């Protein structure tokens, strides 16, 4: 029964992501930016609707369910957790065009240097997954990154 629930949640998440992606491209989103500066992408500074704690918690529940789907599920969960952290940082009013720049701006908000460093490691893992051809994801490393994303989101008050 749990496996069926996970499959349904993952399939729903993928379907929603695909529908949102097509809609964004059709409305002049990521795929049709014009002008100078950075190209569009998951970390480019674009208007996003503000999410309340309940919405964040709901998205986190989907991320957790997705992470149960083997290597592909872990990869997707890390990508989505990274996006959720970016959303939380944006909503905190931090400046920067990318998640990396916003994380740098967030340094003073983290008295726990270990948590701050852990968030950087988790973000760098996401970057490796997205940009390095043939990156070999170690499941224990992925699960640790997801725990770090969750700790960071809780610290920021998003969860």
């Amino acid at each position: 029964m749990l496996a069926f629930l996970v499959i349904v949640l993952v399939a729903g998440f993928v379907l929603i992501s695909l529908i949102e992606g097509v809609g964004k491209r059709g409305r002049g989103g990521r795929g049709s930016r014009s002008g100078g500066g950075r190209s569009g992408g998951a970390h480019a500074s674009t208007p996003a609707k503000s999410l309340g704690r309940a919405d964040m918690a709901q998205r986190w529940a989907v991320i957790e369910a997705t992470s149960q789907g083997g290597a592909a599920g872990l990869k997707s969960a890390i990508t989505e957790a990274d996006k959720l952290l970016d959303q939380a940082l944006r909503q905190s009013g931090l400046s920067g065009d990318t998640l990396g720049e916003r994380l740098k701006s967030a340094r003073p908000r983290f008295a726990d240097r270990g948590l701050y460093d852990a968030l950087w490691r988790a973000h760098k893992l996401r970057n490796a997954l997205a940009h390095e051809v043939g990156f070999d994801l170690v499941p224990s490393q992925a699960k640790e990154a997801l725990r770090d994303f969750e700790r960071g989101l809780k610290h920021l008050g998003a969860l």
Side-chain angles (χ1 to χ4, degrees):
M1 183 66 181
L2 179 61
F4 176 75
L5 179 61
V6 169
I7 291 169
V8 169
L9 285 172
V10 170
F13 181 78
V14 170
L15 183 60
I16 289 169
S17 296
L18 289 173
I19 291 169
E20 286 180 351
V22 169
K24 284 180 184 176
R25 281 190 285 283
R27 292 188 310 263
R30 282 182 12 182
S32 63
R33 274 192 156 185
S34 60
R38 296 177 189 267
S39 62
H43 297 288
S45 188
T46 57
K49 85 172 191 180
S50 185
L51 299 175
R53 286 185 77 175
D55 293 326
M56 291 275 194
Q58 183 178 18
R59 288 188 181 205
W60 186 256
V62 172
I63 289 167
E64 286 182 321
T66 302
S67 73
Q68 303 300 313
L74 283 169
K75 181 177 179 179
S76 178
I78 289 170
T79 300
E80 293 304 314
D82 193 70
K83 290 177 186 177
L84 197 57
L85 175 63
D86 191 34
Q87 179 73 24
L89 292 174
R90 285 176 196 241
Q91 287 182 202
S92 294
L94 291 163
S95 62
D97 291 332
T98 65
L99 174 54
E101 290 174 6
R102 281 185 280 282
L103 267 176
K104 288 177 186 173
S105 296
R107 174 63 189 103
R109 296 187 184 196
F110 289 90
D112 179 355
R113 179 65 188 235
L115 175 56
Y116 180 75
D117 291 343
L119 286 173
W120 267 109
R121 280 191 304 275
H123 175 59
K124 287 178 182 178
L125 177 62
R126 177 266 168 206
N127 284 347
L129 287 168
H131 301 294
E132 293 180 23
V133 176
F135 181 82
D136 189 23
L137 180 63
V138 178
S140 61
Q141 183 183 25
K143 291 173 185 174
E144 180 180 358
L146 288 171
R147 282 190 301 271
D148 293 336
F149 278 124
E150 182 177 26
R151 287 177 41 223
L153 289 165
K154 285 180 178 178
H155 178 81
L156 292 167
L159 291 181

